[in-house]
Amino acid sequence: MIPDIYARGFSEEPWKHDWHEIPQFNEHTMWVYKEGMIKGFIISFIIRGNPYISVLTVVPEYTRKGIASKLLGHCIDYWSEKHDDIYIHVEKDNLPAIHLYKKHDFVILREDKKEYYMKRENKWKD
C-alpha cells in the first residue's frame, strides 16, 4: 500500500516492490497514519550522521486535515531525543509542504533551481 500512496501523493509511478530493502530504510523511523485505512506516512533515516526526512505524503483526499503535521511531529519527537538537527529537501513549487515545514521550525539553508534544502534545529536539547 505504501508505494501506491506515494504514487498518489506525488503523481509518480509507485516504488518497486523491494523499496523497503534499501539500506537506509529502518521500520522504526517510519510512521503511518491509519484511521480505518492508511492515509499517510513519513519515512526518515540517518544520512551523514543526521536525520533526514525522505518522504512525507498524505493521500490527496485527506490533505489539509492535520495528518502531515501529526506525522511530522512524531518524526521530530523521535529524532530530537538524540540529534540536534533534522534535514529535508522540498520542491520549490510545493508551497503547502514549505508552509508545513516552516510551521514546524524548519528554515531554508540553500536552494537550487528546483528545491530548497531545509533544516530544523533542536532548540530544546541541552
Side-chain angles (χ1 to χ4, degrees):
M1 293 180 81
I2 296 296
D4 293 329
I5 291 170
Y6 174 84
R8 289 177 67 195
F10 287 98
S11 299
E12 294 182 7
E13 291 294 315
W15 293 328
K16 295 178 183 175
H17 69 281
D18 60 351
W19 65 273
H20 58 281
E21 295 175 8
I22 63 171
Q24 299 94 337
F25 180 75
N26 177 342
E27 64 187 31
H28 303 291
T29 61
M30 175 183 179
W31 293 269
V32 174
Y33 187 92
K34 184 176 179 182
E35 206 175 68
M37 62 175 274
I38 296 175
K39 296 182 178 176
F41 68 91
I42 187 169
I43 297 175
S44 60
F45 43 79
I46 298 291
I47 293 182
R48 292 183 217 110
N50 291 298
Y52 176 78
I53 297 171
S54 173
V55 177
L56 169 57
T57 191
V58 174
V59 174
E61 54 267 28
Y62 295 104
T63 59
R64 306 202 49 87
K65 297 186 184 315
I67 295 171
S69 200
K70 288 177 185 175
L71 288 166
L72 185 57
H74 285 297
C75 184
I76 290 168
D77 289 347
Y78 177 85
W79 289 118
S80 294
E81 290 181 20
K82 296 183 181 177
H83 296 273
D84 292 331
D85 306 317
I86 302 170
Y87 296 89
I88 190 165
H89 282 92
V90 62
E91 293 181 8
K92 286 182 171 182
D93 63 354
N94 191 345
L95 299 179
I98 294 166
H99 177 73
L100 172 71
Y101 298 127
K102 285 183 175 184
K103 186 171 96 174
H104 285 271
D105 299 320
F106 281 79
V107 296
I108 296 170
L109 289 179
R110 64 181 179 271
E111 63 183 278
D112 61 26
K113 287 183 180 181
K114 294 183 178 184
E115 293 183 315
Y116 291 121
Y117 184 57
M118 300 180 80
K119 169 183 166 181
R120 183 185 189 279
E121 293 181 359
N122 185 358
K123 301 177 201 173
W124 302 276
K125 188 171 173 103
D126 292 331

